[in-house]
């Protein structure tokens, strides 16, 4: 994000075009949430990351700090953003490991997430979680408080339970609005209304994940919905990450509150770090044996692009030997990874203006190919991304509603850095390479 200074001394901001277009095109049915998401886009960098306090966002949107908090919780629940807690240690250095005092969160816009799924959650078309009944709130009741209402409470009817009548709507202030940290309020925010009955069938591997999580899963149905969307390989990684999360939490002098399982499953970028902490994880290579990646180099651009595509946390830049700023790679850099350098600066789509009803309407035109889930190309790319980053690519939908991924070429590069042209031989060769360590 680039800034300039006006004559009045006030900074003028230039946001990421992609983030702002993405936020503008989302249909949330919630004006305050939409306004807040567009404000977040104004502060986001080219990776969709925004570090802006509650007060700043409240001032930009003309909303109260309390309303901003509740809309942030709503945006996170529907999968439009994730929030990564940040802390300042005693030397004033920011970190995400819990050292020091809590400060403003890192708000990550989920630019590669499934837009249809986000909008469905916002509309309430997906099943609500099992906690509605525990909270005394039945989504089928006419008097239930809905996140679609922007100010005040719904009209109270005589058949509404007392606990529902006194519950706050999203636009109503809570007891405290102090602080500028963007973490959720202690009280849970209302969930999107139910759009149908909840399926009781448990997906494959769910019991194993519950055992690895080792804590009661409160929002059970929300977590199960996230689990269903994962591929088999991602489920294995999520289970290993859950074991690592449990081990990390037990190792803290003052263990933090348990993270909600559905948020853990949604934030795939955190999985590789926790998976490495699992008791059964392979031994990690000594840091001195890993290559030093110089900031701005071809390796740096490729690694950041890969982590951004898979929602893995970006490496922290620091000073190295000889004054070269950079970071240690998490694993050795292969020729196949470097081959991606020619594509990392390419855009996957462009905006094309068409004239409809006398008005210029920008339309998104895809430049990269779409490879549906279940295809050989899809499987080859997923294997290669898991080898590079430890995480698979999140699915997206094409215009026909199919789940899949978009990539610049049908097949990933071979281990030696050359590009596969396709065909049975290449397909088998890439499948063999996918099993390498």
């Amino acid at each position: 994000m680039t800034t300039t200074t006006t004559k009045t001394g006030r900074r003028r901001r230039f946001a990421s075009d992609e983030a702002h277009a993405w936020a503008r095109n989302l249909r949330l049915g919630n004006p305050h949430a939409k306004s807040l998401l567009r404000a977040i886009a104004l502060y986001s960098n080219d990776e969709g990351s925004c570090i802006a306090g509650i007060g700043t966002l409240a001032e930009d949107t003309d909303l109260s700090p309390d309303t901003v908090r509740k809309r942030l919780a709503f945006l996170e629940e529907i999968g439009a953003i994730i929030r990564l807690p940040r802390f300042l240690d005693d030397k004033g250095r920011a970190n995400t490991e819990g050292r020091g005092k809590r400060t403003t969160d890192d708000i990550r816009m989920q630019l590669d997430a499934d837009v249809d799924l986000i909008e469905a959650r916002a509309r309430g078309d997906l099943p609500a979680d099992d906690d509605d009944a525990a909270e005394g709130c039945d989504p089928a009741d006419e008097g239930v408080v809905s996140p679609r209402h922007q100010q005040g409470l719904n009209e109270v009817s005589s058949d509404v339970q007392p606990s529902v009548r006194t519950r706050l709507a999203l636009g109503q202030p809570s007891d405290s609005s102090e602080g500028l940290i963007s973490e959720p309020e202690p009280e849970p925010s209302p969930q999107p209304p139910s759009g149908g009955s909840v399926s009781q069938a448990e997906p494959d591997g769910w019991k194993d994940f519950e055992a690895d999580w080792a804590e009661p899963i409160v929002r059970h149905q929300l977590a199960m919905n996230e689990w269903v969307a994962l591929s088999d390989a991602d489920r294995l990684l999520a289970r290993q990450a859950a074991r690592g999360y449990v081990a990390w939490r037990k190792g803290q002098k003052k263990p933090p509150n348990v993270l909600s399982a559905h948020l853990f499953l949604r934030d795939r970028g955190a999985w590789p770090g926790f998976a490495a902490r699992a008791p059964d994880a392979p031994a990690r290579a000594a840091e001195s044996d890993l290559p030093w990646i110089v900031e701005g180099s071809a390796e740096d651009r490729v690694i950041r692009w890969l982590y951004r595509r898979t929602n893995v946390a970006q490496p922290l830049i620091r000073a190295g030997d000889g004054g070269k700023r950079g970071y240690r790679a998490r694993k050795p850099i292969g020729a196949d990874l470097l081959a991606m350098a020619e594509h990392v600066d390419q855009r996957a789509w462009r905006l094309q203006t068409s004239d409809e009803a006398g008005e210029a309407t920008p339309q998104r035109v895809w430049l990269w190919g779409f490879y549906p889930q279940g295809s050989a190309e899809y499987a080859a790319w997923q294997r290669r991304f898991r080898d590079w980053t430890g995480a698979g690519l999140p699915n997206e939908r094409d215009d026909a509603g199919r789940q899949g991924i978009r990539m610049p070429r049908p097949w990933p590069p071979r281990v030696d850095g050359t590009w596969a042209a396709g065909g049975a031989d290449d397909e088998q060769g890439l499948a063999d390479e996918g099993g390498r360590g």
Side-chain angles (χ1 to χ4, degrees), residues 1-15:
M1 181 171 62
T2 307
T3 61
T4 59
T5 304
T6 64
K7 294 182 179 179
T8 60
R10 185 175 182 179
R11 291 197 307 169
R12 184 180 179 188
R13 308 180 185 94
F14 295 87

Side-chain angles (χ1 to χ4, degrees), residues 31 33 151 202 273 364 401 418 424:
Q151 296 293 336
E202 290 187 346
R364 183 160 60 176
T418 59

Side-chain angles (χ1 to χ4, degrees), residues 420-435:
D425 292 340
D426 275 329
E427 181 178 339
Q428 182 59 47
L430 290 167
D432 294 341
E433 288 180 1

Side-chain angles (χ1 to χ4, degrees), residues 61-73:
T61 56
D62 282 341
L63 300 174
S64 70
D66 187 73
T67 300
V68 169
R69 286 190 181 91
K70 292 182 182 293
R71 292 305 183 274
L72 284 173

Side-chain angles (χ1 to χ4, degrees), residues 244-256 277:
Y245 173 74
V246 172
W248 168 81
R249 190 170 171 274
K250 288 181 177 179
Q252 304 301 304
K253 291 183 178 179
K254 187 178 180 181
R277 298 174 181 270

Side-chain angles (χ1 to χ4, degrees), residues 287-304:
E287 182 174 332
S288 59
D289 296 335
L290 296 173
W292 179 260
I293 306 300
V294 178
E295 183 180 17
S297 64
E299 293 88 345
D300 175 52
R301 291 188 297 109
V302 172
I303 289 174
R304 290 184 176 278

Side-chain angles (χ1 to χ4, degrees), residues 141-158:
D141 289 339
E142 294 179 356
V144 70
V145 176
S146 168
R148 300 289 295 277
H149 292 274
Q150 303 305 315
Q151 296 293 336
L153 292 171
N154 296 5
E155 181 180 355
V156 178
S157 60
S158 58

